[in-house]
Amino acid sequence: MSRNPLLAKIHIARKELAIPEEQYRALLVRITGQNSASVLRDAQLQAVLDEFRRFGWAPANTFKRSDKKHVRLVFALWTELGRLGAVDATRPALRAFVERQAGVADPEFLTAQEAYKVTEALKSWIERTKRAA
């Protein structure tokens, strides 16, 4: 049995919008004439998602590469240090480094100013590693 990604998005959106069961069923009937999303066609599912977007819901794209250039630079420099053999280039190790440098739990949460501090430290570390080699 194949799962419909639109159906999954509807359930995620409903949960994130905290829509009670009764209101959810009423919304389905109002938009599609059906009281269960499991019987809806793709066009109807899309109409329900469009309504959720109208309510302010936006799907989170958790697997998307960061749009923040300063965060991508931190990851790139960390990867370079790993390639040079200076660090264990894993995400937990990077998180620990960022926590020590900027007091932020994850690189994704760095502001541009905090990322600057981290990137300068990483650049210095890369230069020291290259000189030592």
Side-chain angles (χ1 to χ4, degrees):
M1 178 168 121
S2 168
R3 296 203 45 124
N4 189 329
L6 293 174
L7 184 59
K9 282 183 182 182
I10 284 176
H11 291 296
I12 291 167
R14 176 183 166 224
K15 181 178 178 182
E16 289 178 0
L17 290 169
I19 298 174
E21 183 73 22
E22 307 81 42
Q23 290 179 356
Y24 169 68
R25 299 288 173 192
L27 179 137
L28 288 177
V29 169
R30 180 173 56 83
I31 303 254
T32 67
Q34 301 290 330
N35 69 350
S36 174
S38 65
V39 298
L40 301 179
R41 296 182 312 275
D42 283 353
Q44 293 172 310
L45 293 170
Q46 190 60 55
V48 173
L49 283 173
D50 291 343
E51 184 71 2
F52 286 155
R53 283 188 183 94
R54 194 178 70 77
F55 292 160
W57 178 76
N61 195 349
T62 57
F63 300 108
K64 185 174 119 180
R65 183 175 72 149
S66 176
D67 287 336
K68 301 176 188 174
K69 291 180 181 177
H70 57 273
V71 172
R72 290 197 315 259
L73 180 57
V74 168
F75 280 104
L77 292 171
W78 188 255
T79 301
E80 176 67 11
L81 272 172
R83 191 185 64 72
L84 293 171
V87 296
D88 173 23
T90 62
R91 182 102 183 213
L94 174 59
R95 283 190 196 120
F97 179 78
V98 168
E99 178 78 34
R100 285 191 309 274
Q101 291 294 313
V104 177
D106 192 277
E108 293 290 338
F109 304 134
L110 289 169
T111 64
Q113 187 175 10
E114 293 164 338
Y116 178 78
K117 180 179 177 182
V118 172
T119 57
E120 290 304 308
L122 290 170
K123 288 176 187 176
S124 296
W125 195 352
I126 289 169
E127 287 304 312
R128 287 191 309 272
T129 302
K130 287 180 178 178
R131 278 196 306 263

